[in-house]
Amino acid sequence: MKLSIIITFFHGNQYMPRLQQMMIANEEKLHEANKNTGSDFALEVLFVNDSPDEHVAISALNATSRKNWHVVNNEKNLGIHGARVEGLKHATGDYVLFLDQDDELADETALTHLQMAHDHPGEVFVSNCYFEVKDRTNLLYRSDYQKERVGSLDVYLNVGTQIVSPGQCAIPKDAIPEFWMTHIQKVNGADDYFLWLLLLGNEVKFTYVDLPLYTHKYTGENISGETVQTDASVYEFLPYLRESGALEDEEVNLLERMIRYKADFRVAGLFGKGILSLKNLDIFVNNVIFKKKSETPYGFNR
């Protein structure tokens, strides 16, 4: 069984030494497990170069000795969604993990996901993670209530996505909808949310992995925390989501209402926040309940 890690590269050679070390460490963990248990786990690494004016600087050692490492050079910039899809077209793994160039994986990430896939084939595995917000680092999932809802469509529609990044997730390659691969977003930021909604609408099971295998780094370049842009990206995929048929029209309507409510809430004054909440009382109540039961003041949501 093989995991393909697809890394989108955009003027990112400053990250390459660390990325190579992470991939080597994951390979070593797999090699050790295969030797000790007789398993047949493998790792494939694909760097998708979305900056045509710059080459990916992989050291000569890694480039010549690791035949399972590949560079996919885009002839033009495709954006994050397009680059991920291009990597997916070249991936040969049973499972895929999309990684941003400025984020980190634990040494045992590939091994853990492949062990889970061996025991529970066909499921999406979502690990806990650390995420940086300027000068602090948080553990994302801190309560059983929150952990149990990483794959709850109701939460994704009323509260927001509960996954910081696809770097947390190992996804069965054959479960990724063709629709997601052919409806490429131009606005970066929420193609992952789009993918989760399609998968959940197709009743693919999400299983939580209680290990922080991923770290979402705050570099000032990340867009997943930029609410205005990610909201714009959600607005872009809403018509696609309706067209896909993965969700009912009323579910897409709820998602759109939640996104617009939260966007307006963030910029409204106290009186305006109250009026907005009364107009969207169901969403307001669901968010209050979620935050109380998840026992955390924050919630990664759009």
Side-chain angles (χ1 to χ4, degrees):
M1 184 175 289
K2 184 192 297 182
L3 173 70
S4 296
I5 296 181
I6 299 170
I7 304 169
T8 48
F9 176 97
F10 182 74
H11 297 298
N13 277 319
Q14 67 268 36
Y15 303 112
M16 285 303 296
R18 179 176 49 79
L19 284 169
Q20 291 179 86
Q21 291 172 1
M22 285 191 295
M23 297 304 106
I24 292 170
N26 272 267
E27 285 180 331
E28 290 174 346
K29 288 287 186 181
L30 289 178
H31 177 74
E32 181 180 355
N34 288 342
K35 181 179 178 181
N36 293 336
T37 67
S39 54
D40 188 25
F41 296 145
L43 177 64
E44 176 180 59
V45 181
L46 297 105
F47 297 94
V48 183
N49 184 6
D50 206 32
S51 46
D53 58 330
E54 182 175 336
H55 75 283
V56 180
I58 300 179
S59 69
L61 172 64
N62 291 335
T64 57
S65 69
R66 290 186 159 80
K67 299 185 183 299
N68 56 332
W69 290 30
H70 310 283
V71 176
V72 178
N73 290 299
N74 296 338
E75 293 183 1
K76 63 178 182 178
N77 178 266
L78 300 178
I80 293 175
H81 189 177
R84 286 171 173 164
V85 169
E86 196 63 28
L88 189 60
K89 292 177 183 177
H90 290 79
T92 62
D94 305 285
Y95 271 71
V96 298
L97 184 152
F98 297 109
L99 183 67
D100 293 339
Q101 64 187 10
D102 49 358
D103 292 334
E104 295 181 356
L105 297 178
D107 295 351
E108 65 273 18
T109 299
L111 175 59
T112 301
H113 283 310
L114 286 171
Q115 288 173 330
M116 293 291 294
H118 180 269
D119 295 337
H120 306 278
E123 299 177 8
V124 174
F125 304 108
V126 184
S127 77
N128 208 339
C129 78
Y130 296 108
F131 69 100
E132 294 183 357
V133 181
K134 295 185 179 179
D135 58 347
R136 69 181 187 276
T137 300
N138 298 303
L139 187 64
L140 180 59
Y141 308 123
R142 298 190 294 184
S143 70
D144 290 340
Y145 181 86
Q146 195 176 15
K147 294 171 184 178
E148 291 166 359
R149 283 158 179 77
V150 294
S152 169
L153 178 58
D154 181 67
V155 173
Y156 283 64
L157 298 178
N158 279 280
V159 180
T161 178
Q162 295 305 296
I163 301 174
V164 170
S165 168
Q168 291 175 250
C169 307
I171 311 166
K173 184 185 175 188
D174 60 7
I176 296 177
E178 182 72 19
F179 193 91
W180 184 77
M181 298 178 64
T182 56
H183 292 71
I184 306 298
Q185 293 193 243
K186 296 179 181 179
V187 181
N188 290 334
D191 64 282
D192 50 353
Y193 199 1
F194 182 27
L195 177 57
W196 311 144
L197 290 165
L198 290 172
L199 289 168
L200 291 170
N202 290 336
E203 298 185 346
V204 177
K205 184 179 180 181
F206 284 36
T207 297
Y208 173 68
V209 180
D210 201 15
L211 291 170
L213 300 176
Y214 167 80
T215 300
H216 184 64
K217 305 290 287 184
Y218 180 86
T219 64
E221 300 174 7
N222 308 100
I223 61 170
S224 55
E226 297 294 334
T227 54
V228 173
Q229 179 162 338
T230 51
D231 285 350
S233 187
V234 172
Y235 298 146
E236 182 187 19
F237 78 58
L238 285 171
Y240 297 158
L241 194 58
R242 293 185 192 278
E243 181 185 345
S244 74
L247 299 181
E248 299 293 336
D249 284 344
E250 56 266 29
E251 292 175 321
V252 182
N253 291 341
L254 173 59
L255 172 66
E256 181 172 8
R257 188 158 58 89
M258 181 269 290
I259 296 297
R260 294 192 185 280
Y261 162 54
K262 291 194 172 187
D264 293 341
F265 187 92
R266 284 191 292 268
V267 298
L270 184 60
F271 180 76
K273 292 181 190 298
I275 295 297
L276 287 166
S277 297
L278 287 172
K279 288 182 177 179
N280 298 277
L281 191 58
D282 55 335
I283 296 174
F284 172 75
V285 170
N286 282 326
N287 275 264
V288 170
I289 291 172
F290 181 84
K291 289 196 178 288
K292 182 176 178 58
K293 288 189 174 181
S294 63
E295 301 173 1
T296 178
Y298 63 85
F300 192 85
N301 56 67
R302 301 300 188 190

